[in-house]
Amino acid sequence: MFYLVTFASSIPAVFLLGPALSDPNYVTSTGNDTRVVWGCLLDLVNAAACVGTAVALFPVVRRQNESLALGLVTSRMFEAAVIAIGVVSLLTVVTLRQTGTSGTDHSSLIAAARALVDVRDWTFLIGPGMVPAINALLLGYLLLRSELVPRLIPVMGLIGAPLLLISAITTMFGINDQVSVLSAVATLPIFLWELSLGLYLTFKGFKPAAVLTGLGSRPTTR
């Protein structure tokens, strides 16, 4: 269910944060900041759910390889931390917009706000844009080896991981745009991997035979 929470929180956040991310004059304009604050709150929910996905899976997948399972938890925690940095950057823009700075002209405020938005854009590229590929490699391998879920699900993750890494790295070097057809195509397999995994585990649970093999006489865990 944590996987489904990441979708339910991150997708609306993209639209709520739109004004702060796309309007260069947002920091000097007038209006209500509630929309952006809600978007930041949803991003924090997404960050917490990211950690929850790994922590909930750790007791089961650690039986295949404890080092890789611990790496998954660490990777998810890193992703959450990077998302939080982006949230703090946008909340700082909101504070500048609400209070302004005495004696500071509009051009200086806009420059400061754009720098903070750029920080958020980089955190989005490194966090949700790159780290999920590492997560998919680690968890995809563990699930493929354990046969806890149908093979197609981890295979999607293992196929999508290198595509997402290539897209993120080429964006870092200015070869690709963060919002482009290539980025969308590279993100799709990871999107389907995480969505299918969340839906399958929520409504079906792990394969009983695989769980019993890994846990001995313990009951099936959903």
Side-chain angles (χ1 to χ4, degrees), residues 28-41:
T28 58
S29 61
T30 59
N32 195 330
D33 297 308
T34 303
R35 171 178 175 175
V36 176
V37 174
W38 272 111
C40 290
L41 179 60

Side-chain angles (χ1 to χ4, degrees), residues 9-18 20-22 36 39-40 42-44 46 82-93 112-129 178-179:
S9 57
S10 62
I11 294 176
V14 172
F15 298 98
L16 292 173
L17 297 175
L21 297 176
S22 60
V36 176
C40 290
L42 287 176
D43 266 353
L44 290 177
N46 178 32
V82 173
I83 291 174
I85 293 172
V87 169
V88 171
S89 298
L90 286 185
L91 289 177
T92 303
V93 174
R114 292 312 304 171
L116 290 166
V117 170
D118 286 340
V119 170
R120 193 272 177 184
D121 288 342
W122 276 106
T123 62
F124 189 82
L125 175 64
I126 295 173
Q178 192 164 356
V179 180

Side-chain angles (χ1 to χ4, degrees), residues 14 68 185:
V14 172
L68 293 182
V185 172

Side-chain angles (χ1 to χ4, degrees), residues 7 132-133 136 156-158 160-161 164 186-195:
F7 285 96
M156 280 193 294
L158 294 173
L164 189 62
T187 303
L188 183 60
I190 293 294
F191 176 89
L192 295 175
W193 137 257
E194 293 193 351
L195 180 61

